[in-house]
Amino acid sequence: MAAGVLAGSLGRPAAGSPGRTLRTQVPGHQQPGRGSAAASAVSQEWCQRHRAGEPGRAGLSDCRPVWTRRTRLMKLLDRLERRFGRFAVPNLALLIVMGQGLVLLMSLLSADQAAADVKQDWQLKGSEVLGGEWWRLLTFVFVPPGDGILVLFALYLFLIMGGALERQWGAFRFNVYLMLGWVASLAAAFIVPAEAATVGYLGSSVFLAFAWLFPDFRLYLMFVFPVPIKYLA
C-alpha cells in the first residue's frame, strides 16, 4: 500500500508526455491542465460518473481524481526536478537489466568460479561494507536475483514495467523512485549486516507501482491464463 500511495504521489506525467500509453488505461482518467477550465470540467464529469456508480479508482471517498490533489511531496518533487532534473539518468531500467544480464550470462557460460566470485564480491553485505568494501553499495544492483530461466522472465518484467513508469513519470521521478528502493536495500543490509541484501526491494517496488497505475494490465500465467496484475500485487 505504501508503494501504491507513493506511486500516486509521483504519478504526474512528465512534461510533454501523452499520459497513459498502455491499453489498460481507465476511461476518463486523463490529467487535466492545471488551473484551466478544462480541468474543472473533466473533474466534474468524473465525479458525476463516480456518483452514478461507474467504476472508478478504489478508495476515492472525496470524489476527486487523485492527481488533482497536489500534496507537499508533489511540490517538493517539482522543485527538485526543476533544479536537478538535468542530472536524471534516462532508460535506467534498461541499464540495470543490461548489467544484471551480463552477470547472469557470465554465470551461465563460465565453467570456473569467476562468475560466482563476481556475485560474492558484488553482493551487498553490511559487514563487508563496514570493512571497507564500499563498492558493494552500488554493484549489488547489477547482481541478478537468482539463476536460470525464471530470472530472464523477471528481468523482462522489470524492463517493461520500469520503462512504462519512466514514460509515465519522466526520468527524474523514476530515478527518485528507484533511489528509494536502493535506500531500503541499504537499510536492510545494515540492520542484518551478516546477510546479503538483494535487488528484491527494487523489483518489488517497481512491480507494485506498475500495478497501482495500470491495475488491468494482464499477465499470462504459464503463457495461457490471463490475470490482471492488480490481483498479483
Side-chain angles (χ1 to χ4, degrees):
M1 178 62 71
V5 173
L6 181 58
S9 298
L10 288 167
R12 180 179 62 83
S17 170
R20 298 190 175 199
T21 57
L22 297 184
R23 291 180 298 175
T24 54
Q25 64 183 3
V26 180
H29 285 204
Q30 305 295 332
Q31 183 199 18
R34 286 181 290 177
S36 64
S40 177
V42 171
S43 178
Q44 292 177 6
E45 179 184 357
W46 189 93
C47 286
Q48 290 174 0
R49 293 203 309 268
H50 185 72
R51 293 193 183 99
E54 183 172 332
R57 186 183 292 271
L60 283 180
S61 58
D62 59 351
C63 191
R64 289 181 299 172
V66 72
W67 41 77
T68 64
R69 290 175 283 175
R70 294 192 53 82
T71 63
R72 293 181 180 178
L73 177 59
M74 285 284 288
K75 294 178 181 178
L76 174 62
L77 286 172
D78 285 340
R79 290 196 296 268
L80 291 176
E81 186 172 7
R82 287 193 297 268
R83 187 169 183 178
F84 302 107
R86 62 183 181 276
F87 300 114
V89 180
N91 300 315
L92 185 55
L94 176 60
L95 296 177
I96 292 175
V97 168
M98 289 175 61
Q100 292 186 8
L102 180 60
V103 175
L104 180 62
L105 184 63
M106 289 174 57
S107 65
L108 294 176
L109 299 180
S110 179
D112 52 24
Q113 292 296 317
D117 292 341
V118 168
K119 287 185 177 181
Q120 291 294 328
D121 292 340
W122 286 12
Q123 283 181 339
L124 178 59
K125 287 187 178 181
S127 58
E128 301 294 341
V129 173
L130 294 175
E133 298 183 4
W134 54 268
W135 61 83
R136 294 175 182 264
L137 296 174
L138 297 176
T139 56
F140 82 97
V141 175
F142 301 107
V143 177
D147 297 296
I149 191 67
L150 290 180
V151 178
L152 295 177
F153 182 68
L155 294 182
Y156 172 72
L157 286 181
F158 184 83
L159 179 61
I160 61 172
M161 293 180 181
L165 292 181
E166 182 171 336
R167 288 190 296 272
Q168 177 75 8
W169 294 336
F172 178 79
R173 291 173 185 243
F174 182 63
N175 284 188
V176 170
Y177 190 73
L178 285 188
M179 186 176 296
L180 294 177
W182 174 74
V183 171
S185 299
L186 297 186
F190 287 105
I191 290 174
V192 188
E195 298 294 330
T198 67
V199 292
Y201 286 108
L202 293 180
S204 60
S205 62
V206 168
F207 181 85
L208 292 175
F210 183 87
W212 176 269
L213 293 175
F214 308 104
D216 296 322
F217 181 85
R218 294 184 178 183
L219 289 177
Y220 286 83
L221 298 182
M222 303 177 65
F223 303 99
V224 176
F225 305 103
V227 178
I229 197 171
K230 60 186 175 184
Y231 298 125
L232 302 176

